[in-house]
Amino acid sequence: MPELLTVGEFSRLTHLTVKALRHYHDVGVLEPAWVDPSTGYRYYTAEQVDAAQLVRRLREVRMPVAGVRRVVSAADPMARDSMIAAHLDVLRRELTATAAAVGSLRGRGGGGGARARAVAAQRAQQVAW
């Protein structure tokens, strides 16, 4: 049997909090290699580090936990890549929509927009005379 790492050691290696590791175990995303039946303490192996880092990266790009579970459990690398690509497409659409919203806000309020600047300049000239 491979050497077991405590949940704290595994947490430090993967940059996932102990709380996150507990949650990912509870929802079936990342199962510990062994759980002590008397204490409930979780143990992991070094071989699980790559999977844990994949989970962390997917969560960093806001993939829902259910999607992460599907990606991590996919046996076929092409299926896994397809799921990741689909999520990245969602992020790209969100980014495009956000950029459009920001662009439309730039022309409103706070003196933005050509018409608002022209009116402000006229008023400034009127006050100066």
Side-chain angles (χ1 to χ4, degrees), residues 16-40:
L16 289 169
T17 66
V18 171
K19 182 178 177 180
L21 289 167
R22 187 177 307 117
H23 174 68
Y24 294 146
H25 175 211
D26 291 343
V27 298
V29 169
L30 187 62
E31 299 285 328
W34 184 67
V35 178
D36 185 320
S38 61
T39 64

Side-chain angles (χ1 to χ4, degrees), residues 41-126:
Y41 205 76
R42 295 162 174 84
Y43 293 89
Y44 297 84
T45 64
E47 290 78 21
Q48 292 178 283
V49 169
D50 286 343
Q53 289 177 338
L54 174 61
V55 169
R56 182 177 50 81
R57 283 189 226 109
L58 293 172
R59 292 297 293 145
E60 284 175 348
V61 295
R62 298 182 301 125
M63 181 178 277
V65 172
V68 173
R69 185 181 325 110
R70 285 190 299 275
V71 168
V72 171
S73 66
D76 178 28
M78 289 182 69
R80 184 177 24 223
D81 290 347
S82 176
M83 288 182 265
I84 293 170
H87 180 68
L88 294 176
D89 286 342
V90 168
L91 293 177
R92 283 186 196 98
R93 286 192 301 273
E94 289 176 0
L95 179 59
T96 299
T98 300
V102 167
S104 73
L105 290 172
R106 285 196 172 132
R108 303 183 187 280
R115 172 120 172 86
R117 284 190 299 273
V119 169
Q122 283 178 339
R123 288 189 182 148
Q125 284 180 347
Q126 290 170 351

